[in-house]
């Protein structure tokens, strides 16, 4: 270890040679022995002068090499991870790293909680945003009486197979039966779960139905309601419904009709869904019809429809399964498309009266209101399997096209009025488009009236 005098103060300080990364000797200050630390700038000015290395003999040559190492070598690097206080020096830098020690069990808990939060967010997106886009337009469950005394179970199966052929492509269907011993878990059975491509399954299951036990009607209805509220079940875009086909008007296990009525209402409220009930009494004894009507009241359903022959059963079942959706969606299309056209009429009247700003605002509102009826038109397309259904679908598509023509013609009339042109040609085109639209509406209403006349 060599001691050198500080050229400025004469104070001595200890220097310890170390090996630099490039092989040159470096000098490390282990501390300041009461002396003044020399600035880097001042050192560079004094040390840039060439040294002969002869002034101090061999020792002086070594000192020259060492000092050249400070000038030419890379800056010394020190691990100050455990350092505290202040580092003094022109080129010094102190980096303190602090490591937070977390127990392994806590780290695992945090990671799992983060993963669960991410999974929960992804599940919410799927349930709330993705699944509704692929939901069926209708969900229909057939609830069939197979209890003892339901002699024509095969006839019910035949009717089901007949009407399924004309059902909507985007309609999800299911099959459940009731009949068995009171208190037994299997006194109602779901044979086929909801699906849009399960018509063959339902037909085969309906053809294999056989009589069993007592008419557990209330239990069948309660479980049918539960089928609509199962976890991750898709709610229909338009209608959830249960079509009951029964040979009995009362429940064998709960003869208190008022209790059954209240129980059904309670279960419907608990499901949190709007479910339409349709009750078909097939060869129901006269003395039980009044009780079946009370059950319909408890389910907020229309009056039951009664059928005596297989032909009447076919017609009634087809009406509820296929014709009712046609009527509903066709009428809905008209109800959606008509208001914008009426708004256009008000806009055209404002044009003829010279109130052009009002006309522009009115027509803009009509254009925005034109959005809609897409779900209804798509459902009609999936049901276009009979002449009436094809006519109604074609009429709905034509109505949308004619509605656009009406709005376009009204816009042309407004442009002509702002340009100071003659209104007669553009108003004539508008009247022609409006008349075509009204004729198409009248044609659809005529078809709907024919279908309504077939109501059981």
């Amino acid at each position: 270890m060599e001691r050198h005098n500080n050229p400025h103060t004469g104070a001595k300080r200890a220097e310890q040679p170390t090996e630099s990364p490039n092989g040159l000797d470096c000098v490390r200050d282990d501390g300041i022995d009461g002396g003044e630390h020399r600035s880097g700038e001042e050192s560079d000015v004094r040390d840039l002068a060439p040294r002969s290395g002869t002034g101090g003999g061999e020792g002086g040559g070594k000192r020259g090499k060492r000092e050249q190492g400070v000038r030419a070598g890379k800056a010394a690097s020190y691990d100050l991870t455990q350092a505290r206080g202040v580092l003094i020096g022109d080129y010094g830098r102190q980096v303190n790293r602090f490591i937070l020690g977390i127990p392994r069990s806590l780290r695992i808990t945090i990671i799992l909680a983060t993963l669960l939060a991410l999974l929960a967010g992804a599940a919410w997106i799927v349930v709330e945003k993705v699944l509704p886009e692929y939901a069926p337009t209708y969900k229909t469950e057939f609830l069939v009486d197979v209890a003892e005394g339901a002699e024509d179970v095969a006839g019910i199966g035949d009717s089901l197979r007949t009407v399924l052929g004309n059902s909507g492509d985007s309609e999800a269907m299911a099959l459940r039966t009731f009949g068995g011993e009171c208190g037994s878990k299997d006194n109602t059975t779901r044979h086929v779960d909801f699906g849009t491509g399960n018509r063959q399954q339902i037909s085969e299951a309906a053809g294999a139905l056989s009589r069993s036990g007592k008419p557990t009607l209330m239990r069948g209805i309660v479980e049918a309601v539960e089928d609509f509220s199962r976890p991750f079940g898709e709610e229909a875009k338009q209608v959830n419904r249960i079509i009951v086909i029964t040979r009995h008007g009362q429940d064998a296990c709960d003869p208190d009709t008022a209790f059954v009525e209240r129980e059904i209402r309670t279960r419907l409220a608990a499901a949190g869904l709007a479910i339409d009930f349709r009750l078909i009494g097939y060869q129901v004894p006269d003395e039980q019809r009044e009780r079946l009507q009370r059950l319909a009241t408890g389910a907020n359903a229309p009056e039951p429809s009664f059928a005596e022959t297989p032909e009447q059963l076919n017609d009634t079942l087809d009406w509820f399964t296929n014709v009712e959706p046609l009527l509903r969606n066709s009428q809905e299309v008209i109800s959606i498309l008509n208001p914008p056209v009426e708004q256009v009429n008000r806009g055209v009247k404002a044009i003829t009266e010279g109130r052009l700003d009002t006309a522009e605002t009115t027509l803009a509102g009509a254009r925005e209101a034109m959005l809609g009826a897409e779900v209804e038109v798509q459902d009609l397309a999936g049901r276009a399997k009979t002449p009436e259904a094809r006519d109604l679908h074609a009429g709905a598509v034509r109505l949308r096209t004619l509605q656009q023509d009406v709005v376009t013609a009204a816009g042309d009339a407004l442009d002509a009025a702002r340009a100071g042109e003659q209104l007669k040609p553009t108003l004539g085109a508008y009247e022609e488009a409006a008349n075509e639209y009204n004729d198409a509406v009248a044609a659809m209403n005529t078809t709907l009236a024919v279908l309504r006349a077939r109501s059981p």
Side-chain angles (χ1 to χ4, degrees):
M1 178 74 68
E2 296 181 349
R3 306 281 296 186
H4 296 281
N5 292 335
N6 188 299
H8 294 280
T9 64
K12 295 181 179 181
R13 63 179 178 178
E15 297 176 348
Q16 179 179 350
T18 60
E19 190 70 17
S20 70
N22 57 5
L24 296 176
D25 289 339
C26 298
V27 178
R28 185 182 70 187
D29 290 343
D30 288 331
I32 300 175
D33 298 334
E36 179 180 344
H37 186 69
R38 184 175 58 185
S39 69
E41 181 180 0
E42 187 176 359
S43 297
D44 290 343
V45 172
R46 294 179 60 86
D47 291 341
L48 283 177
R51 298 176 181 267
S52 64
T54 60
E58 182 179 354
K62 292 181 179 180
R63 287 197 304 272
K65 290 181 180 180
R66 284 196 294 270
E67 293 178 2
Q68 287 176 10
V70 174
R71 296 193 301 273
K74 295 183 179 179
S77 176
Y78 301 92
D79 183 5
L80 301 176
T81 304
Q82 305 298 325
R84 296 292 183 272
V86 179
L87 177 68
I88 302 176
D90 294 326
Y91 300 105
R93 185 176 61 140
Q94 177 175 337
V95 178
N96 289 339
R97 296 182 176 89
F98 299 95
I99 300 176
L100 179 62
I102 301 177
R104 184 172 181 272
S105 59
L106 181 57
R107 291 200 304 271
I108 294 175
T109 302
I110 293 174
I111 293 172
L112 290 177
T114 303
L115 290 176
L116 288 175
L118 292 174
L119 290 174
W124 181 87
I125 292 174
V126 170
V127 172
E128 297 294 328
K129 303 296 181 181
V130 178
L131 290 181
E133 293 297 322
Y134 297 94
T137 55
Y138 272 65
K139 286 183 71 172
T140 302
E141 183 165 60
F142 298 100
L143 180 60
V144 178
D145 181 357
V146 294
E148 294 290 345
E151 301 297 334
D152 197 10
V153 172
I156 295 176
D158 292 340
S159 292
L160 273 176
R161 291 193 295 272
T162 299
V163 303
L164 288 176
N166 293 329
S167 61
D169 293 337
S170 61
E171 180 173 4
M173 292 185 165
L175 175 64
R176 174 178 286 276
T177 60
F178 66 88
E181 298 304 316
C182 297
S184 174
K185 293 182 178 180
D186 59 356
N187 60 20
T188 177
T189 304
R190 184 177 60 179
H191 297 270
V192 182
D193 201 357
F194 286 107
T196 55
N198 59 2
R199 305 302 188 264
Q200 184 61 34
Q201 286 180 272
I202 294 178
S203 295
E204 292 175 358
L209 296 179
S210 58
R211 299 190 300 275
S212 174
K214 301 175 182 178
T216 54
L217 178 57
M218 187 193 76
R219 186 63 183 167
I221 291 176
V222 167
E223 290 300 320
V225 171
E226 292 295 324
D227 290 340
F228 283 84
S229 55
R230 296 183 185 278
F232 300 104
E234 296 175 334
E235 185 177 356
K237 292 180 180 178
Q238 293 183 311
V239 177
N240 302 297
R241 58 183 185 164
I242 298 174
I243 298 178
V244 182
I245 309 168
T246 179
R247 287 284 306 273
H248 302 86
Q250 65 181 21
D251 190 288
C253 304
D254 292 290
D256 185 349
T257 307
F259 167 77
V260 173
E261 183 180 342
R262 289 193 303 271
E263 183 68 13
I264 292 174
R265 285 179 176 175
T266 300
R267 293 305 182 111
L268 283 173
L273 295 174
I275 300 178
D276 290 351
F277 273 87
R278 298 295 183 265
L279 277 70
I280 302 175
Y282 182 44
Q283 299 177 347
V284 173
D286 292 340
E287 63 274 12
Q288 295 186 19
R289 293 193 175 193
E290 188 271 336
R291 294 188 177 184
L292 189 61
Q293 290 170 343
R294 291 186 60 180
L295 286 179
T297 301
N300 295 319
E303 289 284 319
S305 295
F306 296 99
E308 293 297 329
T309 66
E311 293 76 20
Q312 290 176 343
L313 178 61
N314 285 344
D315 292 343
T316 304
L317 189 57
D318 182 64
W319 169 265
F320 289 128
T321 305
N322 300 320
V323 179
E324 263 199 346
L326 285 174
L327 293 172
R328 181 190 181 279
N329 285 334
S330 298
Q331 190 60 59
E332 191 69 17
V333 168
I334 295 174
S335 299
I336 292 173
L337 298 183
N338 272 355
V341 174
E342 294 172 357
Q343 197 168 359
V344 171
N345 288 336
R346 294 193 297 271
V348 171
K349 182 179 180 181
I351 293 173
T352 60
E353 295 173 351
R355 297 180 292 115
L356 302 186
D357 290 342
T358 300
E360 183 173 2
T361 302
T362 304
L363 293 182
R367 292 188 184 95
E368 293 180 1
M370 287 173 59
L371 301 176
E374 185 64 29
V375 173
E376 288 77 10
V377 173
Q378 287 181 354
D379 188 74
L380 288 174
R383 298 182 184 278
K385 300 173 183 179
T386 62
E388 297 89 350
R390 287 189 288 269
D391 288 345
L392 289 173
H393 174 250
V397 173
R398 178 169 169 74
L399 270 186
R400 288 201 303 180
T401 302
L402 292 176
Q403 183 199 55
Q404 181 63 57
D405 293 344
V406 169
V407 175
T408 300
D412 293 341
L414 178 60
D415 292 341
R418 289 196 178 280
E421 299 174 357
Q422 289 289 330
L423 289 179
K424 186 174 181 180
T426 54
L427 290 178
Y430 166 75
E431 290 179 1
E432 181 178 352
N435 289 335
E436 287 188 46
Y437 177 86
N438 292 332
D439 290 343
V441 172
M444 282 193 70
N445 283 330
T446 299
T447 303
L448 294 176
V450 172
L451 285 177
R452 289 192 188 95
R454 291 164 43 184
S455 173

